[in-house]
């Protein structure tokens, strides 16, 4: 890579970027706190996952220095080298993107939490990857809130079997559910539907308490509906230049 690469910004650029990230993080944390207050929830009931996709490892490092403990990525090709470049940092890596079965082994090598388990074939692949690395993986079932599986996500009817498959797989822990609000839908209603699915899931799997929902534009609605994890990229790092 050339010295112009965004992976190696100079000291002045790093200071400016740190300032920018600190300001944005402060705003996002204030939004989460306010949403918790409004919902009558404890402020520590919601974890912030900063979605660093398309941004360099140097940003991840700055974020870690600003107290961020959870980062999210959505493409294995990008996430694997980034996680490796940051392996000295005390971070939890969340894989939030659609996952191809042939990438599952790679993801299992660095991800701590996989949010996008939406079919049974992935379960065996993730378990195999976790076994090879002697790691434990927390798996969330990504559910489709509009019944359009094309955008990723299991249909509600398929959740119980998928949950059992994860719970029974060695080295995999069923963490809970994840969803993205459908385009054009009212996010609050979508996240309430997700919360109802979470309640049903916990009847069979009481420890599966995680609800991953809410992004830069709808984190308030997600927190209001009971999300335990919000995934925020743009509001912390800025508008992504590359289309994903
Ligand atoms: C990119 C992404 C996010 C973050 O979205 P922002 O609007 O940038 O906050 C959250 N969840 C998933 C699944 C994503 O792919």
């Amino acid at each position: 890579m050339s010295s112009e690469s965004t992976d190696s910004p100079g000291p002045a650029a790093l200071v400016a970027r740190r300032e920018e990230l600190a300001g944005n993080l402060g705003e996002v944390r204030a939004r989460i706190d306010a949403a918790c207050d409004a919902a009558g929830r404890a402020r520590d009931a919601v974890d912030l996952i900063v979605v660093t996709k398309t941004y360099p490892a140097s940003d991840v490092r700055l974020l870690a220095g600003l107290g961020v403990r959870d980062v999210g990525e959505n493409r294995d090709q990008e996430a694997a080298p980034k996680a490796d470049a940051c392996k000295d940092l005390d971070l939890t890596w969340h894989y939030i993107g659609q996952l191809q079965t042939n990438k599952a082994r790679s993801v299992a090598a660095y991800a701590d939490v996989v949010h996008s388990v939406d079919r049974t074939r992935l379960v065996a692949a993730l378990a195999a990857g976790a076994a090879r690395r002697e790691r434990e993986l927390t798996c969330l079932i990504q559910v489709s809130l509009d019944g359009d599986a094309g955008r990723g996500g299991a249909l509600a009817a398929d959740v119980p079997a998928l949950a059992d498959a994860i719970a029974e797989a060695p080295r995999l822990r069923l963490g809970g559910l994840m969803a993205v609000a459908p385009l054009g839908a009212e996010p609050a209603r979508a996240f309430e539907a997700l919360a109802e699915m979470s309640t049903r899931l916990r009847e069979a799997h009481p420890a599966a308490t995680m609800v991953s929902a809410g992004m830069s534009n709808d984190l308030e609605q997600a927190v209001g509906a009971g999300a335990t994890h919000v995934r925020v990229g743009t509001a912390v790092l800025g508008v992504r230049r590359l289309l994903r």
Side-chain angles (χ1 to χ4, degrees):
M1 271 191 207
S2 81
S3 57
E4 313 257 299
S5 160
T6 50
D7 276 319
S8 49
L14 277 178
V15 169
R17 181 61 166 155
R18 185 179 194 280
E19 197 97 317
E20 181 184 10
L21 293 176
N24 291 346
L25 259 183
E27 284 173 24
V28 168
R29 287 184 173 135
R31 283 175 61 191
I32 294 170
D33 286 352
C36 286
D37 292 350
R41 301 181 63 198
R43 289 179 171 192
D44 63 3
V46 179
D47 286 341
L48 168 63
I49 300 167
V50 179
V51 178
T52 47
K53 64 188 183 192
T54 80
Y55 286 97
S58 57
D59 278 349
V60 176
R61 200 162 282 283
L62 289 173
L63 289 164
L66 293 166
V68 169
R69 288 289 156 262
D70 295 270
V71 292
E73 289 283 334
N74 75 333
R75 288 201 323 144
D76 177 58
Q77 301 91 300
E78 179 186 345
K82 211 184 285 185
D84 191 57
C86 296
K87 63 176 176 232
D88 58 308
L89 302 173
D90 183 18
L91 289 170
T92 297
W93 289 81
H94 298 256
Y95 189 85
I96 63 172
Q98 283 195 31
L99 186 51
Q100 293 162 278
T101 310
N102 64 354
K103 300 283 189 210
R105 281 170 187 250
S106 171
V107 167
Y110 58 87
D112 301 290
V113 187
V114 178
H115 291 230
S116 43
V117 181
D118 60 1
R119 56 198 190 280
T120 314
R121 278 187 64 198
L122 271 178
V123 175
L126 286 168
R132 191 162 59 172
R133 299 293 183 133
E134 301 187 14
R135 304 184 73 236
E136 308 272 323
L137 279 183
T138 296
C139 294
L140 306 188
I141 298 173
Q142 182 176 355
V143 294
S144 167
L145 296 179
D146 57 5
D148 175 5
R151 293 183 64 225
L155 300 176
D158 297 330
V159 169
L162 196 45
D164 291 345
I166 294 168
E168 286 160 17
R171 292 186 180 275
L172 303 188
R173 182 180 86 86
L174 178 64
L177 300 179
M178 179 272 222
V180 177
L183 291 173
E186 171 54 49
R189 288 184 70 96
F191 294 141
E192 262 142 39
L194 178 65
E196 280 163 30
M197 292 168 85
S198 170
T199 302
R200 284 199 294 279
L201 176 69
R202 278 178 284 119
E203 285 165 10
H205 300 276
T209 56
M210 293 171 70
V211 179
S212 167
M215 323 201 303
S216 292
N217 289 330
D218 55 18
L219 72 85
E220 283 83 2
Q221 289 91 336
V223 170
T228 61
H229 292 70
V230 292
R231 309 176 307 267
V232 180
T234 308
V236 173
L237 289 131
V239 175
R240 289 178 292 275
R241 270 190 272 175
L242 304 176
L243 282 178
R244 288 286 149 82

